Amino acid sequence: MSSEDDMPLGRRKPSLKTNGDAPKSMDTIPKSLDKALDKANPSSSHVDPGMSVRFGPVEKMDVDDPPKNGAQTNGNVNGKRKSRQNGSNGKSYKDASSDDEEEPVSKRRRVSNGKAKPEPASDSDDAPLVSKKSKAKSPTLLKKPPKATETALGDSDSDTPLGERLTKEKAVIEERAEKEAKEILKEEKKTKTAAAKKKQPKKEEFDASESAPPTKKRQTNGTSTPGKKQMNGVKKDESDDDAPLSRKVPKKKVKAEPKAESSNSAKKGSKTNAAAKKEAEEEDEAAEAEEEEYRWWEDPTKGDGTTKWTTLEHAGVVFPPTHESLPKNVKLRYDGVPVTLALEAEEIACFFGSMLNSTHNVENPTFQKNFFEDFTKALKDSGGAKDKDGNRVNIKDFKKCDFNNIFEYYDMQRAQKKALPGAEKKKLKAEKDAAEAPYMYCTWDGRKQKVGNFRVEPPGLFRGRGEHPKTGKVKARVQPEQIIINIGKEATVPAPPEGHRWKEVKHDQEGTWLAMWQENINGAYKYVMLAANSDVKGQSDHKKFEKARELKKHIAHIRADYNTELKAEKMADRQRATAVYLIDKFALRAGNEKGEDEADTVGCCSLKFEHVTLKPPNTVIFDFLGKDSIRFYDEVTVDAQVFKNLKIFKKAPKGEGDEIFDRLTTTGLNKHLANYMSGLTAKVFRTYNASWTMANLLRDLKSAGTIQEKIKDYNDANRRVAILCNHKRTVAAGHVGQMEKMSDRIKGLKYQKWRLKQMMIDVDPKIKKKKDADYFELEDDLDEEWIQEHQNYLVEEQRQKIEKKFAKENEKLVAEGEREMKPKELNERLEVVKELEQKFKKENKTKKVEAEGKGPTVEKLENSLSKLDQRIDNMLLQAEDKENNKEVALGTSKINYIDPRLTVIFCKKFNVPIEKLFSKTLREKFDWAIQSVDEDWEF
C-alpha cells in the first residue's frame, strides 16, 4: 500500500482538512514508529554533517506519470516535482517570448520533443530525479542545477568521490570547532577561578567560598545567561586576558600630545616667525586629520545602549523630477488609434513604453496583468482616454495597446544623451553634483558622515525578483506628506518642497535613519541611512562578525544538544532540533510568516509539504520560493535520523499546503537559541560557518608564487567556503561570452609572441639553427583564419582609438574657446592605420615579420617574450579562476558572510595588496577591519 507523503505535486490529491484546520503533528512520537522507520533506514549515533549535491534554480521540472508496476520513491511514484507556472496556459512567459537559439548554451532549456531521451547510465549524483524503475515511461529529462565539481575545487586528481571528500572535510572542520569551543570554555573557567582567588586574600574566606553556590537550572538547552558585554566585543584593558576570542590591538593616539608640541616649538626658536607659523599650521592640520580618523572599534565607551546620537543635522531628501508631457506627435495607440491621456495616466503609459526592450518583464503575463490593472484604474480616475476629435476611447484590452511610439521617443532620448560630447556630459554631472552636494553629508554628533542614499525612489513599475506576484504594479510617486524626517531637536528642519509639508518630524535618538516613508507595493518602509563606510554602518558590521566569533565558543554545546534532540520523544523538540540542523548545515534561512498579500516566500520554519521531496536513503530536495521571490532549489544528503524525522513530519493526514514544522515558529526558534548566547539568532550561523571555515582553510594555506597565483589561492579557499556553506548560484547568462573574450585575448598575446619570434629571425637569421624548429611555429590554437580576423580587429581598434582621441581633443579646444582641428589632421593621423594594414598584408604574403622598434636585438626581443609569457600565465590563471567561479557566489561569501579581517590577514601574511581583493567601496566599508588587525589575528 503506497503512501502519498512525497508524491509529486501534479499527482498528489488535495489534503483533507478537518473543520477548515490544517492537520497537526502528534504531540509525541511513538517509539513503535521510530523503530519501524529505523528498520527501513537505520540511523547511527554519529550525526552526518550533510552535503549539498546540486543547487540553483532550475528552468523546467516535468512530472512523470506513475509507473504501472507500482515502483515508489519513498512511498511515492517518483521524486520529481512540478515547477510553478506563470501563465494560465501552463507555459512560462520565457517559453512564449524567447528563442532558445539566441541564448548562450549554458542558459538553454531542454524541451521534450515527444521522443524518448536516454537516461544517463551514471551514478546517482548524475541521474535525473526520477525513479530508476520507471525508465520505460521515457520521462522528459530534468535540466538539473549545477553541482560542485572537482575542477571548481581545483583537485581533480583524487580517486575519492567528491561528495565523500567534501563531507569528510566538513566533518574535520566541525571537529576542530568543537575542540576549540571546549578549549575556550576551559580557559575562561580557569581565568575566572584565578580571578576569584585574587579577590579572596584571607585563607579563611577562601575556604568558606570553596563550596560554590548551586548552579541555576539551565533554560531549554542553553547556557547560563551571559553577563552584560561591551558593544562589538570591545572590552576594557584589564579584561583582555579574560577574552580568548579577541586579541588586544595597540591603540593609536587620536591627538598629538601637548608635551610633544611644546618640545617641538622650543626647537623651532631659531626659525623665522613665518616658517614657524606655517609649521604650526601644518601640525594643526595633521592633528585635525588624526581627529577625523575616529577609531570607534577601539573605543570601550561605545556600549550597545539605545541612544545612537546626541546631535543630528542633515538637509533632507532629493525628490525625482516631475513627469514631462510627451510631444504632441508621440501617442499611445489603442486599436491603431492615437489617444490623448491625462498627465497621470500618460506617465504610467510611459513607464511601460520606455522599457519595451526589457522583454523579460514586458512579456511576462503577470507583469502585463498587474500593469494593466493599475493603468486602467488611473485612466478611470483621470477622465479616461480621448481620440483626436475628443471622443472617449474605452481602453479595456491590453493586447490592443501599442506603446511603440513611446518607446521610440525614449530610445531616441537615451541615444542623444549617450552621444553628448564628453565636455557636455561633465558639465551636466558637475551641475547635478553641485545641486546634490548639501544632501550628501550629515553632521552626526559633530562628525561629518556620508549619507547612503538621499534620493527618494522615483515612480515606475515594480519589477521584483524571481516570480514576484506583484511584478508590474505601479510604484506611486512619493510625496513629502508621506515622509517622516528624523533630526536633532536643536537642528534646523529641512524645508519641504513649496506647497507641501512633511508627514512628521521626529527626534528619535534610538534610530539610525534620517528619513523614512512607506511604499505602496508591499507596504514596506524605506529608509535614508548613512553610507556603508560611515561609523554607524561600520559598527553594525563589526557587531555582526563579533557575534559570529562569540558563537565559536558555544557551537559545540549547541550541536551536541540538537544532535541529542533529533531523537527526542516530544514532537516540538524534534522539529526544533531538525530545523537547527538544516539551518546550521545548509545555510537555510529561518523564514517568517507571510500575510495574504505578500509573496509566498518561505524559509526553514515555514516549509510546506510540497517544498520538500524525500529520496531514500538520505537525499532531500528543497524547492521553494526563497528570499526576494527567487526560486531556491537544493538537493542535499542528510543524516539518516534527519531524513527519518522529515518523513515523520510529512506523515498523513498532512498534504499540500500543510506546514512541515507545524510546532515551530521563527520567534520560538530564536528565543531558544538566545538561551545559549545573548543575541543569537538563526542568521548568525551563516556568518559563523562561512568565517570559521575560511579561517581554517587560511590557517592551513601555504600560498607562494606571483600575486596572481596568491589571489587564485585565496579565491580557491573562498570557493571552498561557498560550496561547503551552500553559497552557490546558477551560471550567469553572459559567462560563455566572457570566457570567449578572455580566450581571444590570450590567443592575441600568443600571436604577439609568434611575431616577436619571427622578428628574432629577421634580426639574426642564424638563430633558427640555434633553437628548436618548433620554437618558431604557430601554436596549435592559432590558425590562418583566426589570424586574419585578429589582424582586422587590431586595424579597426587602432582606427577607433585615433578617431576617439581626435574627437576628445576637438571637444577640449571648443571648451577652451579655440578653433577645432580640421578633418585633414584626422586623415594624416589615420595614415598609421593604413600602414598597419599594409604591414599585415605583406607578412601574410611573405610569411616574414620585420623587426620593430629602435635598435632591435635578440636580447631585447627575448625580454619582451618573457613579459608576454608572464601576462599569458596571469590571464590563464584568471580564466581558470573565472571558469571555476561560474557556479559559486564568491561575492556573497566575501562581502556578507566571511569576516573581512580574514581577508586582511591573508593580504598581510602573503604580501598581497588589499586593493587586489577589496574594491575601493569595500575598502571604505571595511576600513575598520583593515586598520584593526595584524597577521596574527584569529577569528
Side-chain angles (χ1 to χ4, degrees):
M1 189 173 178
S2 65
S3 161
E4 286 190 346
D5 277 3
D6 300 303
M7 189 172 288
L9 302 185
R11 300 288 168 193
R12 191 182 297 137
K13 295 176 183 177
S15 60
L16 298 173
K17 313 290 180 185
T18 308
N19 299 326
D21 296 326
K24 197 86 170 173
S25 299
M26 56 192 90
D27 288 333
T28 57
I29 300 158
K31 290 182 180 179
S32 57
L33 179 58
D34 262 337
K35 286 179 181 178
L37 290 172
D38 264 338
K39 281 184 182 179
N41 191 14
S43 57
S44 63
S45 56
H46 170 74
V47 176
D48 195 307
M51 181 53 58
S52 172
V53 180
R54 297 183 187 273
F55 181 93
V58 288
E59 293 287 350
K60 189 179 182 71
M61 292 187 73
D62 295 329
V63 176
D64 299 331
D65 292 329
K68 293 178 182 177
N69 60 3
Q72 298 175 23
T73 301
N74 191 29
N76 69 332
V77 290
N78 56 54
K80 292 176 69 176
R81 300 181 45 246
K82 190 175 181 180
S83 63
R84 296 178 180 84
Q85 301 292 340
N86 284 322
S88 57
N89 60 356
K91 289 186 178 180
S92 165
Y93 63 87
K94 290 183 181 179
D95 295 333
S97 65
S98 64
D99 184 356
D100 283 347
E101 292 300 318
E102 295 176 0
E103 291 189 40
V105 177
S106 62
K107 298 298 275 185
R108 290 182 191 169
R109 298 180 297 281
R110 278 187 195 169
V111 182
S112 174
N113 59 3
K115 296 179 182 179
K117 296 187 180 181
E119 209 166 321
S122 58
D123 62 17
S124 59
D125 281 353
D126 297 323
L129 303 183
V130 293
S131 173
K132 290 185 178 180
K133 294 182 182 179
S134 62
K135 288 181 183 177
K137 296 305 294 182
S138 304
T140 300
L141 285 179
L142 167 67
K143 180 183 175 185
K144 302 193 77 173
K147 63 176 180 177
T149 62
E150 285 85 351
T151 309
L153 294 174
D155 52 1
S156 56
D157 296 333
S158 175
D159 294 330
T160 312
L162 178 65
E164 190 178 325
R165 271 186 289 136
L166 287 173
T167 303
K168 283 181 180 177
E169 183 171 354
K170 196 171 181 181
V172 168
I173 289 171
E174 289 185 3
E175 283 171 16
R176 280 187 184 177
E178 185 178 344
K179 186 179 177 182
E180 184 147 342
K182 288 176 179 177
E183 287 175 357
I184 290 170
L185 292 173
K186 186 179 178 181
E187 187 65 30
E188 281 191 350
K189 188 176 180 182
K190 188 178 176 182
T191 307
K192 285 177 183 176
T193 304
K197 285 181 180 179
K198 286 181 182 178
K199 289 180 182 178
Q200 303 293 338
K202 295 181 182 180
K203 191 175 186 305
E204 295 79 11
E205 290 178 10
F206 173 78
D207 291 337
S209 66
E210 279 203 1
S211 57
T215 309
K216 288 184 180 180
K217 192 174 180 181
R218 177 174 59 83
Q219 304 174 8
T220 323
N221 297 340
T223 56
S224 56
T225 307
K228 201 170 183 180
K229 299 184 179 180
Q230 296 295 331
M231 182 183 176
N232 300 336
V234 180
K235 302 178 185 296
K236 293 180 182 178
D237 294 347
E238 63 267 26
S239 66
D240 282 350
D241 291 337
D242 299 341
L245 285 182
S246 54
R247 291 173 179 250
K248 188 176 178 182
V249 181
K251 296 187 181 182
K252 294 186 179 179
K253 293 176 182 177
V254 177
K255 295 184 180 181
E257 293 184 13
K259 286 183 181 179
E261 286 183 12
S262 60
S263 62
N264 286 340
S265 59
K267 289 177 184 177
K268 289 183 277 185
S270 60
K271 299 181 181 179
T272 62
N273 289 338
K277 187 177 180 182
K278 184 181 179 183
E279 207 162 308
E281 284 175 1
E282 286 175 355
E283 281 191 2
D284 288 343
E285 285 175 8
E288 226 172 272
E290 283 185 12
E291 279 187 37
E292 281 299 311
E293 188 187 4
Y294 171 46
R295 301 171 70 84
W296 50 262
W297 57 89
E298 293 177 358
D299 187 353
T301 63
K302 284 289 177 184
D304 190 16
T306 54
T307 301
K308 301 296 187 297
W309 52 268
T310 307
T311 60
L312 176 61
E313 298 175 47
H314 60 87
V317 293
V318 173
F319 289 90
T322 56
H323 172 69
E324 293 181 9
S325 57
L326 293 170
K328 292 183 179 179
N329 62 323
V330 179
K331 301 283 185 184
L332 166 71
R333 290 176 178 270
Y334 184 73
D335 205 11
V337 178
V339 294
T340 302
L341 308 172
L343 202 62
E344 297 84 356
E346 182 188 87
E347 183 178 23
I348 295 173
C350 289
F351 294 156
F352 192 92
S354 64
M355 60 182 292
L356 290 186
N357 54 342
S358 178
T359 55
H360 174 76
N361 290 295
V362 297
E363 293 179 5
N364 177 353
T366 306
F367 191 93
Q368 294 174 353
K369 173 179 170 290
N370 288 334
F371 158 73
F372 197 61
E373 281 179 0
D374 285 357
F375 178 51
T376 50
K377 184 178 183 301
L379 282 171
K380 185 179 178 182
D381 294 344
S382 60
K386 296 177 182 177
D387 62 16
K388 64 178 181 179
D389 299 323
N391 300 318
R392 184 181 291 274
V393 177
N394 188 14
I395 296 178
K396 56 183 181 180
D397 187 352
F398 172 79
K399 291 179 181 177
K400 292 181 180 180
C401 294
D402 181 359
F403 298 88
N404 280 298
N405 280 356
I406 296 174
F407 174 73
E408 287 165 6
Y409 169 72
Y410 280 102
D411 200 40
M412 181 183 68
Q413 282 199 324
R414 285 189 284 259
Q416 288 173 349
K417 190 175 179 181
K418 193 175 180 181
L420 282 174
E424 185 66 22
K425 287 179 181 177
K426 284 181 182 177
K427 183 185 174 185
L428 290 172
K429 186 179 184 302
E431 289 173 358
K432 180 173 177 282
D433 290 346
E436 292 182 348
Y439 303 89
M440 291 179 71
Y441 292 91
C442 71
T443 306
W444 183 291
D445 283 348
R447 298 181 57 78
K448 188 178 180 182
Q449 300 280 0
K450 193 169 184 180
V451 180
N453 188 8
F454 46 81
R455 299 176 190 88
V456 174
E457 200 172 35
L461 299 183
F462 176 71
R463 303 190 188 192
R465 296 180 67 188
E467 299 177 14
H468 203 289
K470 294 187 177 181
T471 183
K473 291 192 73 64
V474 174
K475 288 190 295 182
R477 184 177 292 275
V478 178
Q479 300 295 338
E481 286 75 12
Q482 297 170 251
I483 296 176
I484 301 173
I485 297 291
N486 191 28
I487 199 165
K489 285 184 180 179
E490 307 302 322
T492 303
V493 178
E498 193 174 344
H500 292 274
R501 59 180 178 79
W502 302 120
K503 179 180 181 180
E504 190 179 349
V505 175
K506 285 192 172 185
H507 313 291
D508 179 11
Q509 293 176 297
E510 296 179 14
T512 58
W513 54 278
L514 310 183
M516 66 176 283
W517 61 90
Q518 192 174 18
E519 53 88 24
N520 67 300
I521 302 293
N522 298 307
Y525 286 94
K526 301 283 185 176
Y527 295 88
V528 173
M529 310 285 281
L530 297 191
N533 60 345
S534 65
D535 295 347
V536 174
K537 283 286 187 180
Q539 288 170 27
S540 175
D541 285 339
H542 183 269
K543 183 180 178 182
K544 165 183 153 183
F545 291 113
E546 283 299 303
K547 186 65 67 180
R549 289 181 77 210
E550 191 182 349
L551 176 56
K552 185 171 72 166
K553 64 182 177 182
H554 301 289
I555 194 67
H557 188 187
I558 294 169
R559 285 174 177 164
D561 278 358
Y562 78 61
N563 288 345
T564 302
E565 289 193 338
L566 286 173
K567 297 183 179 182
E569 186 178 347
K570 193 175 178 183
M571 179 65 78
D573 291 348
R574 194 178 290 201
Q575 285 193 2
R576 186 179 62 209
T578 305
V580 178
Y581 172 94
L582 296 175
I583 288 166
D584 182 22
K585 306 299 184 186
F586 303 111
L588 291 188
R589 298 180 187 278
N592 293 301
E593 294 177 0
K594 298 286 176 183
E596 289 181 8
D597 59 341
E598 293 181 85
D600 186 25
T601 59
V602 297
C604 185
C605 297
S606 50
L607 283 169
K608 289 188 169 58
F609 186 96
E610 61 270 23
H611 298 147
V612 176
T613 300
L614 306 176
K615 285 173 58 181
N618 65 335
T619 299
V620 179
I621 302 167
F622 297 104
D623 188 1
F624 54 85
L625 212 58
K627 185 184 178 185
D628 295 323
S629 299
I630 292 178
R631 186 175 179 181
F632 178 95
Y633 180 97
D634 200 2
E635 184 177 338
V636 302
T637 57
V638 299
D639 177 71
Q641 182 63 40
V642 172
F643 187 87
K644 183 177 78 172
N645 289 349
L646 289 171
K647 193 164 178 62
I648 292 171
F649 303 160
K650 294 188 71 179
K651 189 171 175 59
K654 281 190 182 178
E656 186 177 343
D658 296 328
E659 291 187 351
I660 291 178
F661 296 97
D662 55 354
R663 293 187 177 272
L664 180 68
T665 63
T666 305
T667 305
L669 176 65
N670 286 332
K671 191 175 180 182
H672 164 73
L673 293 173
N675 288 323
Y676 292 98
M677 184 184 107
S678 177
L680 178 61
T681 61
K683 66 181 178 181
V684 180
F685 283 90
R686 296 168 70 89
T687 310
Y688 162 77
N689 280 320
S691 295
W692 173 251
T693 303
M694 188 65 163
N696 273 268
L697 294 175
L698 293 184
R699 188 187 299 173
D700 300 334
L701 187 64
K702 304 283 189 291
S703 188
T706 64
I707 296 295
Q708 194 59 46
E709 286 171 331
K710 291 175 182 178
I711 291 170
K712 186 178 179 299
D713 289 339
Y714 172 85
N715 285 340
D716 286 344
N718 191 355
R719 182 161 48 251
R720 226 173 181 90
V721 170
I723 291 170
L724 291 169
C725 297
N726 226 18
H727 303 149
K728 287 171 282 181
R729 65 177 181 188
T730 48
V731 181
H735 176 75
V736 174
Q738 290 168 4
M739 292 305 296
E740 285 173 356
K741 283 182 182 178
M742 287 193 83
S743 176
D744 279 340
R745 286 173 65 195
I746 292 168
K747 287 164 79 173
L749 293 176
K750 288 179 179 179
Y751 175 65
Q752 283 185 46
K753 270 183 68 178
W754 177 81
R755 291 188 77 245
L756 285 171
K757 288 176 182 179
Q758 299 306 306
M759 290 179 196
M760 289 167 69
I761 297 173
D762 185 53
V763 172
D764 182 9
K766 293 179 182 178
I767 199 169
K768 202 166 185 179
K769 293 180 181 179
K770 296 177 185 177
K771 292 187 179 284
D772 187 16
D774 293 341
Y775 180 79
F776 297 98
E777 292 296 321
L778 272 171
E779 297 202 28
D780 294 337
D781 54 346
L782 302 181
D783 55 42
E784 289 188 9
E785 184 183 351
W786 183 89
I787 289 173
Q788 187 65 53
E789 287 178 7
H790 184 63
Q791 288 173 346
N792 293 338
Y793 166 77
L794 292 174
V795 169
E796 186 57 33
E797 184 183 44
Q798 182 85 315
R799 188 194 311 281
Q800 287 181 10
K801 279 182 181 177
I802 291 169
E803 288 174 348
K804 281 183 181 178
K805 188 177 180 183
F806 179 80
K808 197 171 183 180
E809 287 176 3
N810 262 346
E811 284 175 17
K812 189 176 179 183
L813 289 170
V814 171
E816 292 172 354
E818 297 182 24
R819 292 176 63 183
E820 286 185 338
M821 292 181 286
K822 294 180 180 179
K824 183 183 175 183
E825 172 69 21
L826 176 61
N827 292 332
E828 288 175 4
R829 295 186 185 188
L830 289 173
E831 285 297 318
V832 181
V833 178
K834 291 179 182 177
E835 289 171 12
L836 180 63
E837 200 168 10
Q838 292 302 318
K839 183 196 291 186
F840 284 145
K841 283 181 181 178
K842 185 178 177 182
E843 288 176 8
N844 295 341
K845 188 176 181 180
T846 62
K847 305 298 179 186
K848 292 180 181 179
V849 180
E850 292 179 4
E852 298 170 352
K854 294 180 181 179
T857 63
V858 171
E859 289 76 17
K860 286 182 180 178
L861 293 169
E862 283 179 338
N863 286 336
S864 297
L865 274 173
S866 179
K867 290 176 183 177
L868 271 179
D869 281 331
Q870 185 61 55
R871 285 178 66 190
I872 289 170
D873 288 343
N874 284 343
M875 288 198 68
L876 286 169
L877 280 171
Q878 289 171 10
E880 183 186 351
D881 215 19
K882 193 172 189 67
E883 178 63 22
N884 291 343
N885 293 341
K886 67 182 179 182
E887 296 167 0
V888 184
L890 289 193
T892 301
S893 296
K894 183 168 74 174
I895 298 169
N896 298 319
Y897 298 119
I898 294 175
D899 193 315
R901 290 169 290 192
L902 291 169
T903 301
V904 174
I905 62 169
F906 170 84
C907 290
K908 291 186 176 182
K909 187 175 180 181
F910 297 111
N911 296 315
V912 175
I914 192 70
E915 295 82 9
K916 297 290 183 181
L917 297 176
F918 279 163
S919 64
K920 185 185 176 186
T921 304
L922 288 182
R923 291 197 302 276
E924 290 175 350
K925 177 181 173 69
F926 294 136
D927 181 58
W928 59 270
I930 295 168
Q931 296 194 51
S932 64
V933 296
D934 56 32
E935 65 180 66
D936 296 323
W937 181 86
E938 291 184 3
F939 175 74

